[in-house]
C-alpha cells in the first residue's frame, strides 16, 4: 500500500516535468530570484541617484529606477498569471538586501567621485546584465509556452539595452574625474 501511494505521488510530481512543458517549480524559483534581484536593484538605483544628486545624471538614474520598478511589477504579475507564490525566504532576503542597498556599502559617503562611485556604476550595470538574461530567457521560453509574450519581452530587452547604454555613458563621462589627478590651482 505504501509503495503504491509513493508511486502515485511520484507520478503526480512528474506530471509538470513532461518534455516540452514548463517545470513550474524551476520557473517559479527563477522568477522569484529575479524579483529578489530587482528589489535590491531598485534600492541601488535609489542610492546611486542620491550619490549623483545635483548632477546632470540624477534624472537619468531616477528614470532608470522607475523603469526597474515597473519591470519588477511585470515579473510579479507574470508569477501571478502562472499561479506562483513568492518564497517567504526570498521575501525576507529581499528585505535584507534592501537594507544593505540603503546603507550602500559600495559608496557609503554617497559621493560621485572615487572608487566607490565607480563600483556603484559597475554594479548597476551588472544588475542590468542579469535582467537582460531574464528577458532573453523568457523570449526563448515563449516559443514553447503560449502564456509568455515574446513581443513584450523583446520590448523589455530593448529597454534594458537603453538602460545599459545610459549607465555606460554615465560611467564613461565621469571616469576621468574619478581617477585622473587634477592640477592644483595656483
Amino acid at each position: 500500500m505504501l509503495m503504491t501511494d509513493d508511486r502515485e505521488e511520484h507520478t503526480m510530481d512528474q506530471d509538470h516535468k513532461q518534455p516540452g512543458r514548463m517545470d513550474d517549480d524551476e520557473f517559479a524559483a527563477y522568477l522569484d530570484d529575479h524579483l529578489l534581484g530587482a528589489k535590491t536593484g531598485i534600492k541601488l538605483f535609489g542610492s546611486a541617484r542620491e550619490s549623483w544628486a545635483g548632477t546632470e545624471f540624477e534624472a537619468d538614474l531616477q528614470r532608470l529606477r522607475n523603469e526597474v520598478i515597473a519591470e519588477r511589477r511585470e515579473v510579479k504579475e507574470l508569477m501571478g498569471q502562472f499561479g506562483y507564490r513568492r518564497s517567504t525566504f526570498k521575501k525576507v532576503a529581499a528585505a535584507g538586501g534592501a537594507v544593505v542597498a540603503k546603507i550602500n556599502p559600495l559608496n557609503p559617503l554617497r559621493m560621485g567621485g572615487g572608487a566607490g562611485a565607480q563600483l556603484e556604476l559597475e554594479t548597476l550595470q551588472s544588475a542590468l546584465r542579469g535582467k537582460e538574461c531574464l528577458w532573453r530567457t523568457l523570449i526563448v521560453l515563449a516559443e514553447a509556452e503560449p502564456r509568455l509574450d515574446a513581443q513584450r519581452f523583446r520590448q523589455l530587452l530593448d529597454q534594458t539595452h537603453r538602460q545599459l547604454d545610459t549607465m555606460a555613458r554615465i560611467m564613461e563621462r565621469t571616469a576621468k574625474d574619478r581617477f585622473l589627478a587634477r592640477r592644483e590651482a595656483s
Side-chain angles (χ1 to χ4, degrees):
M1 177 97 169
L2 182 59
M3 231 165 102
T4 307
D5 290 341
D6 285 345
R7 247 182 283 154
E8 286 175 17
E9 187 175 312
H10 179 72
T11 303
M12 287 174 34
D13 287 346
Q14 295 302 313
D15 284 346
H16 72 280
K17 295 188 182 212
Q18 293 176 359
R21 184 180 156 122
M22 190 67 72
D23 182 326
D24 289 325
D25 295 335
E26 291 296 329
F27 192 50
Y30 178 69
L31 294 176
D32 207 9
D33 287 343
H34 274 281
L35 283 176
L36 173 63
K39 181 85 168 183
T40 302
I42 289 164
K43 295 295 184 184
L44 287 172
F45 270 107
S47 294
R49 188 199 56 73
E50 290 176 26
S51 297
W52 297 91
T55 71
E56 64 184 286
F57 308 113
E58 180 180 9
D60 284 333
L61 291 164
Q62 183 61 48
R63 176 182 51 79
L64 294 178
R65 181 178 182 274
N66 292 341
E67 289 174 358
V68 173
I69 289 169
E71 292 165 341
R72 183 177 187 278
R73 196 174 308 122
E74 286 198 53
V75 174
K76 210 171 182 180
E77 289 170 4
L78 183 60
M79 283 190 75
Q81 176 186 339
F82 277 80
Y84 301 153
R85 288 193 162 158
R86 298 280 326 272
S87 158
T88 303
F89 172 76
K90 289 179 185 173
K91 285 181 186 179
V92 171
V99 168
V100 170
K102 187 70 174 160
I103 295 168
N104 194 359
L106 300 172
N107 194 6
L109 299 178
R110 304 276 197 285
M111 297 174 59
Q118 182 71 20
L119 289 173
E120 185 175 57
L121 296 173
E122 290 176 7
T123 299
L124 288 168
Q125 290 178 80
S126 294
L128 292 171
R129 289 280 178 212
K131 184 166 53 95
E132 176 187 34
C133 293
L134 167 68
W135 304 137
R136 288 181 181 280
T137 299
L138 292 176
I139 290 166
V140 170
L141 292 175
E143 294 172 9
E145 175 53 65
R147 294 175 289 179
L148 296 174
D149 184 352
Q151 181 178 347
R152 178 61 184 147
F153 300 136
R154 283 188 197 92
Q155 292 168 345
L156 292 166
L157 180 61
D158 290 343
Q159 178 171 284
T160 300
H161 289 154
R162 289 189 299 275
Q163 293 165 346
L164 282 161
D165 289 344
T166 298
M167 291 306 304
R169 177 179 51 81
I170 293 170
M171 184 186 68
E172 291 165 2
R173 291 205 33 214
T174 62
K176 288 180 182 178
D177 291 337
R178 270 191 298 290
F179 297 112
L180 297 181
R182 295 185 184 102
R183 290 190 178 162
E184 292 191 31
S186 335

